Amino acid sequence: MNNDEIYVTGAGVVSAIGMGKAATLDALINQRTGVAPIRYLRTSHTDIPVGEVKYSNDELREMLQIPPSEAFIRSSLLAIPAVREALTQARLDDRSPLRVAFLSGITVGGMDQAEQMYSDFLENDSKNSYIELNDCGACTEQIAGFIGGFRMVSTVVTACSSSANTIMMGVDMLRSGRADVVVAGGTECLSRYHVNGFNTLMILDREMCKPFDRDRAGINLGEGAGYLTLEPAESAVRRGVAPIGRIAGYCNVCDAYHPTASSPDGLGPYLAMKGAIENAGLKPEDIDYINAHGTGTPNNDLTEGLAAMKLFGDSVPPLSSLKAYTGHTTSAAGSFEAVVSLLAIERNFLPANMNFRNRIAEHNFVPVTDSAPSRPVRRVLSNSFGFGGNDSAIVLSGV
């Protein structure tokens, strides 16, 4: 056993396709989307399909036994069940003597409530508790405070690569001895600010998004949470906890080409994927599946595909995007998709790329349409690319 090996001993997810790994797996296997017309978000943009978690804030509060008098933002309400699932599987609770760190990625923070309470804040100053929760770090602190037992708390904000970067940070902390166990991931809820911002960029699809399709037209936004419990192999063996996977390698780069677009040749994604594979001590041919960022925008899907072709040549591994199932969960995407990557390894299946019809002319591959793999799924490359060219890739493997 290599003491540098970092095992995943627990995982939890919440998204538009369900709460928990079992519901998520069922939706993926049966190719059931959670993208639908807006139901819970208060907005005039009712023509925009999104991936909303199918619970109101009041229903989530009741589920978590949080009284209405306590100020809670939706991002925290979505995260807590996912964190609990990850801790429960790892057989940890707030009484653990271990130094457990909590790392959470987010971008919108408490904007969903702050934007509703702002007028009240200006007029009679009675909703300050919600205004104070607007800060991204406040969300992480709220989740950690509710769960309890964490010795360290930190927030990562790098847009759509945020939660992938918490996983990398967590591995670094464990290898340097700064923590015994790390719960890493991210959460994000929809807000008017969120929807209006992406709408201003003119990259929202008014229909179901079509990742890696010739006729793709943009993003469907989504919300959700995903968290992984990470610990050194020696710790998992000592505690008698069965690992569900391993973080084999990772890489983060920044091409800084444009505030919201990838470089035309896919340099950032290429360097991130190449670096993650090399960090894992592997070769490109060792990758069995690519869980692509695949947002459905003309720019991302073209350049991510070109980057894969540059790295893998004429042998691009099976590749698919999850965005047509959940919408783009932005800061939560990297960790949510890392959990799905582990499910693909455990169950030996490939999530189908929904809504694909026609190959992109510049690509020498088509995405996965058949979930039955031609060989065992042992190593998955999971991509997460953020605004500003903050690009991350993680190699997950079986144990």
Side-chain angles (χ1 to χ4, degrees), residues 28 64 159 180 286 296 364:
L28 292 172
L64 299 172
D180 299 320
D286 295 321
N364 65 1

Side-chain angles (χ1 to χ4, degrees), residues 191-265:
S191 67
R192 293 198 299 263
Y193 172 83
H194 205 175
V195 172
N196 292 341
F198 278 87
N199 191 43
T200 300
L201 291 173
M202 296 184 289
I203 55 173
L204 294 182
D205 195 335
R206 261 55 182 182
E207 299 177 352
M208 299 281 285
C209 71
K210 300 171 281 294
F212 293 103
D213 188 83
R214 180 193 66 192
D215 302 318
R216 65 201 183 282
I219 290 173
N220 296 150
L221 283 172
E223 62 181 3
Y227 290 89
L228 285 73
T229 304
L230 310 173
E231 59 186 299
E234 183 274 333
S235 171
V237 171
R238 185 178 66 251
R239 295 200 306 114
V241 180
I244 60 175
R246 185 168 66 90
I247 306 299
Y250 51 92
C251 182
N252 169 264
V253 301
C254 187
D255 65 16
Y257 171 76
H258 187 274
T260 61
S262 297
S263 51
D265 59 356

